[in-house]
Amino acid sequence: MSPKQVAQECRLVRRIEQVIELNHPPVGQLRRELGETQLLALIKIHLIDFNELLDLRKPLGERQIDKIAEVLLEQFPSLSFADIHFVFNQAMLGAYGELYESLNISKVMSWFKVYFEERTKVFGERSRLQADSHKSQGAQRKILEIKELEDFYKRVRNET
């Protein structure tokens, strides 16, 4: 996916929950489908696009972009291109602090670390809510079953 394609799909995304709901495939899955070389090239295109968009005095160099792409793929295989785009947008908006006219590997990787922790919390909360919902549905089914049994026994008693 090109940066423009991802940007188009993510144009209304403002929260991590919305990124998750886009249901884009994670880069770990794409590595198996596209191969590592092609996937790294796609990640690098996103990094280069972001780097150029910021127009910083000290942007990322080619070797830094290569290393960030490799580390992203190795450390965060569950993130998608929508996640990557969201992190870059949040960085541009200052969510991870000031850029101070420069980028480096540790600064960019710290954004992804913070984002991944937040995303993990969101997933955990969603899982907890789903579990609570299933428990609630199960309890409601049991209540219905008990009421049906009570009604059945009432009918049996009335017939005899």
Side-chain angles (χ1 to χ4, degrees), residues 84-155:
I84 293 169
H85 180 80
F86 185 77
V87 170
F88 290 158
N89 273 352
Q90 292 299 102
M92 285 189 291
L93 294 171
Y96 306 116
E98 289 291 325
L99 296 177
Y100 298 111
E101 290 295 320
S102 69
L103 282 180
N104 59 48
I105 294 172
S106 62
K107 190 182 288 187
V108 174
M109 295 316 302
S110 72
W111 301 339
F112 282 95
K113 183 179 181 220
V114 167
Y115 174 76
F116 190 76
E117 289 169 359
E118 291 171 356
R119 186 178 188 269
T120 301
K121 287 178 188 173
V122 168
F123 259 113
E125 181 63 19
R126 288 173 67 122
S127 293
R128 188 189 63 74
L129 290 172
Q130 285 177 342
D132 289 349
S133 173
H134 288 298
K135 286 179 188 175
S136 171
Q137 290 172 358
Q140 289 173 351
R141 275 193 297 267
K142 286 181 182 178
I143 290 169
L144 285 174
E145 290 171 5
I146 290 170
K147 287 183 179 184
E148 288 173 355
L149 282 172
E150 288 173 347
D151 290 345
F152 173 75
Y153 287 125
K154 285 179 186 174
R155 283 193 309 263

Side-chain angles (χ1 to χ4, degrees), residues 38-60:
Q38 189 172 355
L39 182 59
L40 283 171
L42 284 171
I43 294 171
K44 289 174 191 177
I45 289 170
H46 283 262
L47 284 162
I48 291 166
D49 186 64
F50 174 69
N51 199 36
E52 290 175 356
L53 187 63
L54 293 175
D55 194 30
L56 301 171
R57 284 189 201 148
K58 191 174 178 197
L60 294 169

Side-chain angles (χ1 to χ4, degrees), residues 24-28 72-73 75-80 83 116 119 123:
H24 281 209
V27 293
L72 278 176
L73 186 54
Q75 296 296 314
F76 303 104
S78 62
L79 296 183
S80 69
D83 291 301
F116 190 76
R119 186 178 188 269
F123 259 113

